[in-house]
Amino acid sequence: MTTTLNLGKAINAGLRRSMDDDPKVLLMGEDVGKLGGVFRVTDGLYKDFGPDRVIDTPLAESGIIGTAIGLALRGYRPVCEIQFDGFFFPSANQTFTQLAKMRMRSNGALKLPVVIRIPFGGGIGAVEHHSESPETYFAHTAGLRVVSCSTPEDAYWMIQQAVASDDPVAFFEPKQQYWDKADVDTEAALSSAAPMGSARVVREGTDATVVAYGAMVKTCLRAAAADDERSLEVVDLRSLAPIDYETVYASVRRTGRLIVVHEAPMSHGLGAEIAARVTEQCFYHLESPVIRVTGFDTPYPPNRLEDHYRPDLDRVLDGVDRAFAF
Amino acid sequence: MSTNTSSGAGVEPRSADSGDNLVQILTPDGEFREHPHYPFAITAEEARGLYRDMALVRRFDTEAVALQRHGELGLWASLLGQEAAQVGSARAARPNDMIFPSYREHGVAWCRDVPTAELLAMFRGVTNGGWDPRDYGFHLYTVVIGTQCLHATGYAMGIQRDGAVGEDGSAVIAYFGDGASSQGDTNEAFVYAAVNNAPVVFFCQNNQWAISEPFERQSRVPLYQRASGFGFPGVRIDGNDVFASLAVTRQTLNDVRVGQGPALIEAFTYRMGAHTTTDDPTRYRVAEELEEWKGRDPISRLRKYLTRTGGADESFFDAVETEAEALGERVRTECRTLPDPQPSDMFRDVYAEPHPVLERQRDEFVEYLASFDGEEASHS
Ligand SMILES: Cc1ncc(C[n+]2csc(CCOP(=O)(O)OP(=O)(O)O)c2C)c(N)n1
C-alpha cells in the first residue's frame, strides 16, 4: 500500500514496524515519550508501546549511549535519539571508545545493535548547536556504520535496516527535510529495499557527477535541473561509512567530472576522502580535479548567515563551473 | 517491571509544596517570616528595587515571546515564573563575582547590566554570543546542558590561585536546571569543586521540567540533598521568594568567598511558560499545575508585601508599569533594528593567529559573492 508520508513520519512508521516485529527493539532519549521527541519523530509510540519500550531518559547523553550498550549486551536493540547534532558530544566517549570497539575486542563474540539517531544539518533558523554536521567524526571511527537518508522512502526502509543491523549505526536525519513529503510503499518486504550501504544515482546525466547526501541531495537536484547547458548526474551517497565507491566510480567514469557537496566544513571532511579515492581509482577518466562545495572551516554561524554557510543552488553551480573551467 | 520505569508518566500535577526544609522568608500572601539560619532585613527602598527588577524583566520576557511570535526572533526561552530565583540571587552577587549562566537567565543578565539587545541578538540569530563577559561579570549563555558548571568551577580554581579568596575576594555562581543535574559535566563539576574547595555556588533552578521530562525522570532525591554526597552543603529555597533567594545566596556567597568551599542552592520554582517558543507543554502537563503555581507568583507576593507594609503605594506600581511599557517599546524597536551580520563575518574571530587556509576560503567566498554584483542573486 502506498502512503504519502513526510520524512519524519516515515521514520516513525519504520520504527513502529521494527518495534512490532521485534519486542527487543527499544527507543530511548530525552523527551521521546510523551512529547514524541522535539521533532515528534517518535510521536504516538509511547502511547502504543509503553514506557518500558519508549524510555524517557534523564538529560544525560553519555548515559543514553552507555546504558544502550548495556541493554544491547543483554540482547536488546536500543534506538537512541540524540536531540540535536550539537548535543551528541557528551556521549562521544561512550560511542567512540566503547560502542565502536566492543565487537572486535570480544573477537566477534559480542554484537552491539545500537542505533543512534541524530537530526543533523542546518536550514531551520535554529540557535547555536542545533545545525551542525558532525558525521565525519563518526565516519572516521572504525566499528561504526554511518548512514543518512534524504527521502521519506529511504528513511522508512533505512531505519528498519539500521535497527536490524548487528553493528552500531549512526543514523543521520536531515532535519531540514522532516516535513518533505513523498509516497512510500509501506507494505513491501524489507528485503526488497535497496541495501543500507548502497549509493543511488538519483538523476542520470552525462557531463559531470555531483555526489551529495542528506538535505544537500535536494539542493543538487535543483541545481541539476537549473543547469540547461550541462547534463549533471546526481548520486545520493546514502551510506557515509562504508561508502559505496563502486557506484561513485562508475558514475565518474561515465561523466569524467566530480563535484562533492556537503554541509560539513571542507577541511578533512568526506569530500576530501572521496576526492582522494576517486583520484586514485579514476585518474585516467577525470577531465578535471575533483571539486568540493561545502560548509566553511568555521563554526556554524548564527542563523542569519546560514544561507551563506550552507551550499545552495548557486554555489553548487559555481562548483560545476569550476569543474568545467579546466 | 514497569512500575519504576514508568514513574513520571502519570498526569498528577506537580505540587507547589516542596516538603520540608524549604527556606522561605516571604510567604505567598506577602507576609515576612524570620528564618532562624538566614537573618534578613530589607529597607522599603531595596524591596521596591527588587520589585522593579522583577516587573521589568517579566515585561522584557513577555515582549521577547511576542517578538518571536512575530517572526523577529528565531527562538526564545521564557523565564516567566523564575524572576525571584534569578533577581534575588543575582542581586546577592558583587560586581567582582563571576556568573556562568545557562540560556534562560535573562533576569540575572538584567541585574548584571547586560544590554537587552545583546540577549535578543543571540535569539535572533545575529550572533552566537555577542557580549564580552568581562564587561559584566556575566559569561556567555550556554546551550549545551551542564557544560558551564565545569567552566565555573575552573574559574573559581583560578580565583584561588590568584589569591583572590577572602572578605574582599571573588566568588562564582553557576546557574543550571534540574535537567542539567543529570549531566556528567555537572556531577564532575561537583567533584572538582569539592576536592578543590573552590569558591563556587551552584545555583539550580528546579523549575520542575526539562522540556517534557518531569523532575522524577532526573532524580529520586531532592537535589539539595545530593550536595552532601559530594561533601558540601546544600539548601533548598522557595524559588518564588525573592527575599529567600537574596538572603540565602548572599550568605552562601559570603561563606564561599572566604574559603569555605562550594555550596549548592536548589531554588524550588516553576517554569510557567513553555520550555521555549517551539515547545507545546499541553502535550505533557496538566493545566491545574500551572494554576496552583500562579498562587505563588513571585511578583504579586512582593507587591502584597510592599502594600501591606506601606513600602510602596499605587503611584509606585503605576510608575513601574509605565516604565515597563516604555521598556517593551524600546525592546521592540531595538530588536527590529538589529543589523544582520555580513557574510564575511562568519570567518572573523575563528582563530587568534593567522590561518592561511581559512583566509583563502574567505577571500574566495567574498570574490564569489562579488560575482553577483549587478545581478539579482538567486540564493535558494
Ligand atoms: C547536552 C544537551 N542535551 C540536550 C539539549 C536539549 N535541551 C535543551 S534545554 C533541555 C532541557 C533542560 O532542562 P533543565 O536543565 O531543567 O533547564 P530548564 O530549561 O528547565 O531551565 C534540553 C533537553 C541540550 N541543550 N544540551
Side-chain angles (χ1 to χ4, degrees):
Chain A
M1 193 188 67
T2 301
T3 324
T4 307
L5 292 174
N6 68 32
L7 188 137
K9 290 236 159 61
I11 297 169
N12 180 289
L15 287 171
R16 177 180 288 280
R17 190 160 142 174
S18 295
M19 294 180 82
D20 274 333
D21 289 351
D22 183 352
K24 295 291 187 188
V25 176
L26 308 176
L27 307 188
M28 51 198 293
E30 295 155 14
D31 303 291
V32 297
K34 265 194 185 171
L35 189 65
V38 288
F39 288 107
R40 309 289 184 262
V41 171
T42 56
D43 201 12
L45 299 174
Y46 176 89
K47 195 169 123 271
D48 296 340
F49 294 97
D52 283 335
R53 293 193 63 197
V54 182
I55 306 169
D56 266 330
T57 66
L59 209 177
E61 288 77 11
S62 184
I64 294 172
I65 306 301
T67 56
I69 291 172
L71 282 159
L73 295 175
R74 181 75 195 176
Y76 287 89
R77 307 187 85 86
V79 183
C80 305
E81 176 173 300
I82 296 295
Q83 209 155 68
F84 279 93
D85 33 57
F87 308 143
F88 159 75
F89 294 95
S91 63
N93 176 45
Q94 286 291 345
T95 306
F96 299 153
T97 75
Q98 304 301 311
L99 181 64
K101 301 187 174 191
M102 246 174 227
R103 178 187 164 80
M104 194 185 186
R105 289 177 54 224
S106 73
N107 297 329
L110 301 176
K111 52 182 190 185
L112 279 302
V114 174
V115 178
I116 308 177
R117 292 183 35 237
I118 306 176
F120 85 119
I124 61 163
V127 293
E128 212 195 359
H129 304 299
H130 291 72
S131 307
E132 270 97 334
S133 298
E135 60 272 15
T136 312
Y137 299 104
F138 292 80
H140 199 64
T141 302
L144 303 177
R145 291 180 187 278
V146 187
V147 299
S148 173
C149 51
S150 71
T151 64
E153 168 101 32
D154 265 354
Y156 178 73
W157 293 115
M158 283 171 93
I159 189 67
Q160 294 178 62
Q161 292 165 331
V163 173
S165 169
D166 282 340
D167 285 321
V169 180
F171 189 86
F172 281 92
E173 302 170 7
K175 66 171 84 81
Q176 198 263 333
Q177 278 186 281
Y178 273 138
W179 303 274
D180 287 5
K181 285 187 185 154
D183 286 344
V184 182
D185 178 0
T186 53
E187 271 165 25
L190 182 56
S191 56
S192 68
M196 183 173 81
S198 63
R200 178 146 61 197
V201 176
V202 288
R203 182 189 205 271
E204 290 186 355
T206 51
D207 298 340
T209 299
V210 183
V211 167
Y213 55 90
M216 285 295 119
V217 174
K218 186 165 76 169
T219 306
C220 293
L221 283 172
R222 284 167 53 207
D227 192 336
D228 28 84
E229 282 161 40
R230 295 154 303 203
S231 158
L232 304 180
E233 177 146 309
V234 180
V235 176
D236 178 357
L237 216 49
R238 298 173 79 249
S239 179
L240 316 186
I243 288 173
D244 172 8
Y245 284 111
E246 290 315 319
T247 300
V248 177
Y249 298 156
S251 176
V252 173
R253 285 182 188 128
R254 278 195 300 275
T255 66
R257 288 186 169 83
L258 175 62
I259 299 97
V260 188
V261 181
H262 57 65
E263 292 187 52
M266 173 181 283
S267 293
H268 320 283
L270 275 166
E273 164 63 23
I274 294 168
R277 297 271 183 156
V278 166
T279 308
E280 238 174 62
Q281 298 298 321
C282 309
F283 189 70
Y284 294 107
H285 292 87
L286 283 172
E287 308 276 347
S288 63
V290 179
I291 300 291
R292 286 172 289 169
V293 181
T294 68
F296 300 111
D297 294 346
T298 68
Y300 197 86
N303 67 52
R304 294 267 155 173
L305 290 179
E306 69 176 339
D307 290 345
H308 288 289
Y309 181 90
R310 301 175 77 227
D312 62 2
L313 186 145
D314 287 330
R315 270 177 64 204
V316 174
L317 289 177
D318 178 70
V320 175
D321 285 347
R322 278 186 283 137
F324 279 90
F326 283 89
Chain B
M1 183 188 167
S2 67
T3 47
N4 191 37
T5 50
S6 54
S7 70
V11 288
E12 287 296 298
R14 236 136 293 281
S15 173
D17 173 14
S18 70
D20 301 336
N21 299 324
L22 178 86
V23 178
Q24 185 182 72
I25 294 174
L26 186 62
T27 71
D29 294 330
E31 272 176 53
F32 191 97
R33 295 248 176 87
E34 295 280 350
H35 192 279
H37 304 312
Y38 298 95
F40 179 71
I42 188 161
T43 66
E45 191 188 345
E46 285 166 334
R48 285 197 300 270
L50 294 174
Y51 181 90
R52 177 179 172 273
D53 283 337
M54 291 199 290
L56 294 186
V57 162
R58 180 170 289 188
R59 187 67 180 83
F60 169 54
D61 187 73
T62 313
E63 195 57 46
V65 172
L67 282 164
Q68 196 281 335
R69 297 273 177 260
H70 286 111
E72 297 288 340
L73 295 176
L75 182 83
W76 186 252
S78 165
L79 68 18
L80 187 67
Q82 299 179 218
E83 295 86 351
Q86 294 193 12
V87 166
S89 57
R91 285 296 178 209
R94 295 184 193 161
N96 63 345
D97 293 336
M98 186 67 187
I99 290 176
F100 287 82
S102 166
Y103 46 77
R104 200 188 292 284
E105 275 70 68
H106 320 310
V108 181
W110 169 268
C111 295
R112 301 303 276 186
D113 295 325
V114 178
T116 46
E118 301 277 17
L119 302 175
L120 296 171
M122 179 161 173
F123 288 94
R124 191 175 167 85
V126 169
T127 163
N128 279 334
W131 61 91
D132 181 341
R134 294 167 306 184
D135 289 346
Y136 310 104
F138 186 80
H139 193 70
L140 301 171
Y141 273 0
T142 315
V143 171
V144 183
I145 301 292
T147 49
Q148 76 278 16
C149 295
L150 278 166
H151 309 160
T153 302
Y155 193 93
M157 289 161 63
I159 290 175
Q160 292 175 306
R161 277 151 187 75
D162 293 344
V165 178
E167 295 283 350
D168 301 325
S170 298
V172 179
I173 311 182
Y175 286 87
F176 60 103
D178 43 300
S181 72
S182 295
Q183 281 289 348
D185 275 7
T186 305
N187 288 275
E188 291 185 25
F190 290 174
V191 173
Y192 274 71
V195 302
N196 288 293
N197 215 45
V200 52
V201 175
F202 295 108
F203 193 96
C204 177
Q205 291 172 82
N206 178 355
N207 65 10
Q208 315 299 322
W209 292 94
I211 310 188
S212 73
E213 301 201 2
F215 178 65
E216 291 88 323
R217 294 310 296 161
Q218 315 294 340
S219 181
R220 273 180 78 155
V221 298
L223 286 179
Y224 75 96
Q225 287 179 5
R226 280 207 196 156
S228 70
F230 288 94
F232 51 85
V235 56
R236 176 181 268 188
I237 64 169
D238 180 342
N240 288 17
D241 168 359
V242 71
F243 289 174
S245 179
L246 177 59
V248 174
T249 311
R250 188 183 277 157
Q251 184 168 319
T252 308
L253 273 172
N254 285 342
D255 293 346
V256 159
R257 199 188 304 284
V258 297
Q260 291 188 16
L264 170 67
I265 298 174
E266 178 190 0
F268 197 82
T269 182
Y270 192 71
R271 187 195 87 209
M272 299 227 264
H275 170 71
T276 64
T277 41
T278 58
D279 176 40
D280 172 11
T282 63
R283 291 179 74 108
Y284 55 81
R285 72 184 189 190
V286 292
E288 297 91 82
E289 188 177 308
L290 180 60
E291 287 313 306
E292 192 187 349
W293 279 91
K294 272 189 186 157
R296 296 170 59 96
D297 187 88
I299 300 186
S300 57
R301 80 165 81 172
L302 183 55
R303 184 174 177 136
K304 283 181 202 155
Y305 166 84
L306 282 167
T307 308
R308 160 177 316 193
T309 57
D313 55 16
E314 285 307 309
S315 68
F316 167 76
F317 297 117
D318 291 347
V320 172
E321 184 57 36
T322 311
E323 197 182 352
E325 270 318 302
L327 174 69
E329 225 163 277
R330 175 167 67 76
V331 162
R332 232 166 12 245
T333 321
E334 199 169 77
C335 181
R336 295 204 170 112
T337 52
L338 277 170
D340 275 356
Q342 292 300 310
S344 60
D345 284 351
M346 69 181 140
F347 297 90
R348 265 182 41 198
D349 303 324
V350 180
Y351 296 98
E353 307 288 337
H355 188 296
V357 173
L358 188 60
E359 282 156 19
R360 174 120 193 253
Q361 214 170 66
R362 177 199 58 210
D363 294 346
E364 282 170 3
F365 182 56
V366 168
E367 203 177 301
Y368 161 76
L369 285 180
S371 73
F372 290 100
D373 282 354
E375 59 171 291
E376 196 49 31
S378 59
H379 283 297
S380 47

